[in-house]
């Protein structure tokens, strides 16, 4: 297994920042009025995809060294000017100055996220038993609805809730997958590759179809796709983030992943 040190964390956080930038790029194409954008601040990326979007956050801060108070001032001003809450994904390997600054300014913890990794080497990954395929170009609404219904556990989604899935679907580097029960799409997931890192994300299974192996099947299919990319987009590492102690964490561990570190989500 890879040693979960600073260099590894920098790779993972850089891939996360790149995916966030692609989310902003997709949102700008879908609805320019939102003003989606990204700024390089405090050694990381301040990503804005809309004032209430869960895709709006700051990632990778402090990964290159100390963070000065004026850098955090600019980060906060960036979000304040856009009417958004400042939400920081704090990597435990970030420079200690960042934690001190956030604490002194009254940031509060809202969530923890386990970052899991596995090498993209070793024995051949078994083909999933469930019917899984890439979503077609014309299946934006189907994919977004499937993801949203699984995450939010409801059948009817607002336009804003659908926009999250639409945004991911239109990321330049995303590959979006659907899993089926008969002719019904009941689970979904996405992946993106950057800097030798394959990130698996947006895993979602709708109520009534959980516990039958669909997420594990989606994990295996995306790992197979990452390995098949070969020389076109070589990756040696796969990563995913889950809530600690969740079913998702268990499913990833069953597929060869292990926790590398735990991030803290802080807001102000």
């Amino acid at each position: 297994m890879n040693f979960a040190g600073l260099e590894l964390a920098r790779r993972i956080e850089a891939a996360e920042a790149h995916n966030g930038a692609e989310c902003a790029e997709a949102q700008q194409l879908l609805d320019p009025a939102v003003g989606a954008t990204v700024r390089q601040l405090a050694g990381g990326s301040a990503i804005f995809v809309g004032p209430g979007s869960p895709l709006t956050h700051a990632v990778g801060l402090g990964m290159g060294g100390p963070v000065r108070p004026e850098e955090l001032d600019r980060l906060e001003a960036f979000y304040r000017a856009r009417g958004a809450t400042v939400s920081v994904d704090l990597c435990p390997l970030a420079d200690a100055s960042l934690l001190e600054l956030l604490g002194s300014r009254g940031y509060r913890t809202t969530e923890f996220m386990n970052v899991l990794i596995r090498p993209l080497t070793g024995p051949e990954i078994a083909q999933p038993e469930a019917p899984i395929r890439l979503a077609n170009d014309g299946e934006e609404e189907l994919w977004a609805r499937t993801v949203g219904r699984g995450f939010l556990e409801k059948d009817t989604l607002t336009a804003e809730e659908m926009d999250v899935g639409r945004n991911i679907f239109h990321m330049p580097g995303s590959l979006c997958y659907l899993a089926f029960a008969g002719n019904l799409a009941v689970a979904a997931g996405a992946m993106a590759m950057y800097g030798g890192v394959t990130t698996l994300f947006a895993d979602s299974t709708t109520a009534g179809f959980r516990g039958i192996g669909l997420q594990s099947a989606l994990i295996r299919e995306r790992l197979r796709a990452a390995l098949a990319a070969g020389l076109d987009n070589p990756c040696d590492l796969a990563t995913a983030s889950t809530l600690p102690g969740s079913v998702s964490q268990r499913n990833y561990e069953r597929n060869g992943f292990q926790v590398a570190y735990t991030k803290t989500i802080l807001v102000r």
Side-chain angles (χ1 to χ4, degrees):
M1 266 294 179
N2 300 77
F3 171 62
L6 179 58
E7 290 307 313
L8 178 71
R10 282 174 173 164
R11 290 184 66 196
I12 294 170
E13 297 300 305
E16 181 73 13
H18 177 80
N19 293 337
E22 287 205 342
C23 281
E25 181 180 345
Q27 180 62 46
Q28 189 64 13
L29 290 172
L30 291 169
D31 186 1
V34 171
T37 188
V38 179
R39 296 283 175 82
Q40 302 305 307
L41 295 167
S45 297
I47 301 156
F48 176 76
V49 188
S53 173
L55 303 174
T56 291
H57 64 149
V59 63
L61 307 187
M63 297 304 294
V67 176
R68 300 186 304 274
E70 55 267 29
E71 293 180 286
L72 194 55
D73 289 342
R74 288 195 291 271
L75 180 92
E76 292 173 344
F78 170 83
Y79 286 113
R80 187 166 55 247
R82 291 162 175 81
T85 298
V86 184
S87 177
V88 175
D89 289 14
L90 176 64
C91 174
L93 287 92
D95 191 86
S97 59
L98 177 60
L99 181 60
E100 182 177 351
L101 276 174
L102 295 172
S104 70
R105 299 192 183 198
Y107 280 77
R108 61 183 178 87
T109 299
T110 60
E111 196 171 56
F112 297 99
M113 293 295 289
N114 279 345
V115 176
L116 297 99
I117 59 171
R118 67 155 282 170
L120 281 173
T121 57
E124 183 178 347
I125 297 168
Q127 184 170 350
E129 295 180 2
I132 294 172
R133 63 167 173 79
L134 272 170
N136 298 322
D137 289 343
E139 292 180 321
E140 167 191 350
E141 298 298 298
L142 174 63
W143 191 86
R145 187 176 301 108
T146 304
V147 169
R149 289 178 62 203
F151 269 118
L152 301 172
E153 299 188 335
K154 62 180 186 179
D155 291 332
T156 303
L157 305 178
T158 65
E160 291 77 13
E161 291 164 348
M162 284 287 290
D163 281 345
V164 176
R166 292 175 182 133
N167 186 294
I168 294 170
F169 192 89
H170 285 283
M171 287 171 55
S174 70
L175 296 171
C176 298
Y177 289 81
L178 289 165
F180 292 82
N183 294 322
L184 185 65
V186 295
M191 65 179 279
M193 294 176 280
Y194 174 78
V197 177
T198 295
T199 305
L200 310 186
F201 60 104
D203 296 28
S204 181
T205 304
T206 57
F209 294 93
R210 295 170 183 161
I212 58 174
L214 292 176
Q215 185 181 27
S216 284
L218 280 161
I219 292 169
R220 291 196 298 275
E221 182 62 24
R222 287 174 289 172
L223 290 174
R224 284 164 52 84
L227 286 168
L231 295 177
D232 292 333
N233 200 347
C235 291
D236 66 313
L237 183 73
T239 183
S241 297
T242 72
L243 290 173
S246 63
V247 172
S248 288
Q249 178 182 328
R250 183 182 63 191
N251 287 336
Y252 273 97
E253 289 176 341
R254 286 174 171 172
N255 284 279
F257 286 76
Q258 69 174 30
V259 176
Y261 54 87
T262 301
K263 294 207 289 189
T264 305
I265 314 304
L266 301 112
V267 302
R268 182 185 181 194

